[in-house]
Amino acid sequence: MWRVGAVVLLSLCARVWSSVCPCEREELCQPIRTQPEFEVFVFDVGKKAWKFYDWTKVTTVAAFGAYDSELMCHAHSKGARLVLKGDVHLPDIVDADNRTAWIQRKVKLAKSQFMDGMNIDIEQAVETGSPEYYALTDLVKEASESFHTEIPGSQVSFDVAWSPKCIDKRCYDYVAIAKSCDLLFVMSYDEQSQIWGDCIAMANAPFNQTLTAYDQYITMNIEPNKLVMGVPWYGYDYTCLNHSKDEICTIPKVPFRGAPCSDASGKQIPYSIMMKQIQHSMSGRMWDEKQRAPFYNYKDAKGNVHQVWYDDPESIALKASYVAQRGLKGIGMWNGNLLDYSKDPVARKQTEDMWNALKPTGFIRESVPV
Ligand SMILES: *[C@@H]1O[C@H](CO)[C@@H](O)[C@H](O)[C@H]1NC(C)=O
Ligand SMILES: *[C@@H]1O[C@H](CO)[C@@H](O)[C@H](O)[C@H]1NC(C)=O
Ligand SMILES: *[C@@H]1O[C@H](CO)[C@@H](O)[C@H](O)[C@H]1NC(C)=O
């Protein structure tokens, strides 16, 4: 009797346990149902940096770190969504049953963690018309349908490269994918992953190139209000083979997916680190008017010159103005953890300025000459 009782009790506990709300208030475990007027989409890679985010702005957090129930409760208390990361080896989900099983596992996981959807981050090369091409389109459609049915109000988003033109051999059916999910997060960075011209250091996300690519998405008939602009909170540190007086930094040839050179010859570097390094740099902050991006040069211990290209409040605010002007759904960044959230007053101000650059408060329409 006792044994049976214990087993019953145990399984009862297990059942209760799986749906026990970890938040202070039960209602914080309810998925978010309201739609924000403007998305601020944050990728979070773990630990506790989220405690210092500007929650007056955040509307969605994509949890790319370990699940943190405290983050879930906090996001919900601010009316913000917390979504799962969805990544799968595409050849495995060409099979329809495998695809369904994968989606069902994700829905179940999201439900058990009181989450609000999924961000699908497939950065694999796909050929137009291949089995993977169609499977990916189906995956996004089926995942969106399942999530929307099982978790009313949930959000399914999909990450795309900065341009729809088969960047890094990612030839996806962008139009169909955009149609079936809630939003495309456009990764407007790593724009030098395939350098076809001179092998020189350039901006991570040059203004003109970035904006031209949005026009490409929109010209394909993707609604501007399906697009969230992703900006980088990191830069690239390049070791120059040669550094000329007119600021040309020649970089080593590192091919990538068919292109002769790439930003892969550089090293990604967080905004928090750059803001310290720039103080001891050779050049201080400089501004490239053509690419509308800041950069600086420094010399390493071996005497090699480095050129570092990045984004800061000035370059981000320029892009954010376009977001407002063009009526995009919102803005976001890779990633929220990359700022300095320490108590140091200088860092604090820099961090605040980065958050504020996402939503220019005084956005003014371009004046019309009279
Ligand atoms: C289903 O997915 C698994 C991995 O999750 C993979 O090993 C297997 O080959 C897939 N089956 C088919 C038929 O694609
Ligand atoms: C930006 O791109 C457009 C279209 O490619 C081009 O016409 C324009 O001259 C470019 N502007 C700058 C400043 O490079
Ligand atoms: C390297 O830079 C120097 C100084 O700016 C310049 O005179 C020289 O032509 C450059 N060499 C190469 C190979 O680009």
Side-chain angles (χ1 to χ4, degrees):
M1 275 314 283
W2 182 86
R3 283 169 78 89
V4 172
V7 169
V8 170
L9 199 68
L10 255 165
S11 67
L12 206 69
C13 281
R15 196 168 311 146
V16 172
W17 177 252
S18 70
S19 61
V20 120
C21 174
C23 309
E24 230 170 275
R25 286 178 288 129
E26 188 70 30
E27 73 261 28
L28 293 181
C29 282
Q30 291 300 314
I32 302 296
R33 289 186 178 234
T34 53
Q35 298 300 330
E37 253 177 57
F38 187 83
E39 273 285 349
V40 175
F41 195 107
V42 181
F43 285 93
D44 181 90
V45 299
K47 305 237 172 103
K48 296 290 182 185
W50 59 264
K51 292 199 171 183
F52 306 97
Y53 291 171
D54 181 347
W55 288 95
T56 65
K57 296 189 173 67
V58 177
T59 57
T60 301
V61 175
F64 274 39
Y67 175 68
D68 180 348
S69 63
E70 200 188 354
L71 167 56
M72 182 276 292
C73 301
H74 189 77
H76 284 182
S77 77
K78 301 293 178 184
R81 288 185 168 77
L82 183 69
V83 299
L84 281 177
K85 175 184 178 175
D87 183 16
V88 64
H89 184 52
L90 287 178
D92 288 348
I93 52 93
V94 169
D95 177 70
D97 291 338
N98 244 8
R99 196 162 62 238
T100 305
W102 184 80
I103 293 168
Q104 286 318 312
R105 277 202 303 278
K106 289 294 176 185
V107 168
K108 201 172 155 201
L109 179 61
K111 273 184 158 174
S112 72
Q113 295 176 340
F114 310 98
M115 292 173 83
D116 311 272
M118 176 166 66
N119 174 260
I120 306 177
D121 186 47
I122 307 279
E123 304 196 17
Q124 298 159 41
V126 170
E127 234 174 90
T128 308
S130 64
E132 287 79 11
Y133 174 87
Y134 295 109
L136 178 56
T137 308
D138 290 341
L139 178 79
V140 178
K141 183 165 183 284
E142 292 161 18
S144 299
E145 287 168 356
S146 293
F147 269 91
H148 291 160
T149 305
E150 305 258 349
I151 308 174
S154 63
Q155 176 205 79
V156 174
S157 57
F158 186 83
D159 302 336
V160 297
W162 63 272
S163 151
K165 307 224 153 161
C166 290
I167 298 303
D168 302 344
K169 297 194 172 164
R170 291 178 228 172
C171 305
Y172 307 161
D173 188 347
Y174 292 101
V175 175
I177 288 172
K179 205 165 275 170
S180 62
C181 69
D182 296 295
L183 66 92
L184 298 185
F185 183 94
V186 184
M187 298 181 283
S188 295
Y189 40 74
D190 301 339
E191 294 186 28
Q192 313 303 345
S193 62
Q194 293 176 296
I195 301 174
W196 302 95
D198 294 339
C199 289
I200 59 171
M202 289 180 284
N204 189 5
F207 180 77
N208 209 38
Q209 182 169 316
T210 297
L211 271 42
T212 304
Y214 282 88
D215 292 334
Q216 291 167 357
Y217 277 110
I218 294 165
T219 306
M220 298 169 89
N221 269 332
I222 294 175
E223 293 288 327
N225 72 7
K226 277 265 168 111
L227 301 172
V228 169
M229 178 187 283
V231 298
W233 277 3
Y234 64 95
Y236 276 91
D237 176 333
Y238 294 99
T239 307
C240 309
L241 292 176
N242 194 31
H243 176 241
S244 74
K245 281 199 187 66
D246 50 354
E247 293 304 343
I248 304 293
C249 162
T250 316
I251 60 174
K253 283 194 166 71
V254 177
F256 186 67
R257 293 192 184 165
C261 44
S262 165
D263 55 20
S265 86
K267 198 177 104 217
Q268 294 185 352
I269 172 167
Y271 189 73
S272 57
I273 307 286
M274 293 186 291
M275 288 305 99
K276 290 197 178 72
Q277 191 175 58
I278 198 169
Q279 293 170 25
H280 317 287
S281 66
M282 295 156 61
S283 64
R285 177 188 185 272
M286 297 203 281
W287 179 259
D288 182 279
E289 194 42 52
K290 251 185 158 160
Q291 301 179 76
R292 295 205 180 180
F295 68 99
Y296 62 88
N297 304 316
Y298 76 93
K299 213 173 253 180
D300 66 23
K302 288 184 194 148
N304 295 315
V305 175
H306 293 236
Q307 195 168 71
V308 182
W309 287 86
Y310 61 108
D311 275 87
D312 70 0
E314 186 176 353
S315 67
I316 292 171
L318 284 168
K319 292 169 198 164
S321 290
Y322 172 88
V323 169
Q325 199 174 19
R326 203 70 179 79
L328 303 191
K329 191 181 185 77
I331 196 163
M333 85 298 289
W334 180 267
N335 60 59
N337 305 60
L338 295 171
L339 304 183
D340 184 339
Y341 294 106
S342 71
K343 289 200 173 99
D344 173 74
V346 174
R348 226 175 178 156
K349 175 75 169 65
Q350 286 166 343
T351 293
E352 200 183 303
D353 289 347
M354 284 293 268
W355 279 99
N356 286 336
L358 300 172
K359 279 176 94 170
T361 45
F363 174 69
I364 302 159
R365 262 176 204 293
E366 268 174 20
S367 57
V368 181
V370 285

